[in-house]
Amino acid sequence: MPVSGETGGKLAAMIKKAIEDGKLTNTEYDQILAIAHEDGVIDAQEKRLLSQLQELLSNKTIVRVPD
């Protein structure tokens, strides 16, 4: 999936790392949310990435772990 914009690129990279690791720390999760909100607008692409992340967390493809 092509990612445009700096924020979308950062989000995609962090989510890709979480998929590769199979886990997401609480700090990484907070960083993802901070990146999404840093420009004050969550655009359609960011919403899609965040939705995909939630889906992966829901179906346990990615597991949230303590730091």
Side-chain angles (χ1 to χ4, degrees), residues 1 3-19 24 28-39 41-53:
M1 150 179 63
V3 176
S4 61
E6 185 177 337
T7 304
K10 286 182 195 176
L11 281 177
M14 288 195 74
I15 293 170
K16 181 179 179 202
K17 180 187 176 300
I19 292 169
L24 184 68
E28 289 169 332
Y29 184 78
D30 291 341
Q31 288 173 338
I32 287 171
L33 294 180
I35 290 168
H37 290 284
E38 76 184 11
D39 62 359
V41 177
I42 298 181
D43 63 26
Q45 174 189 0
E46 293 166 348
K47 283 181 186 172
R48 194 168 46 254
L49 288 167
L50 292 172
S51 176
Q52 289 172 347
L53 176 61

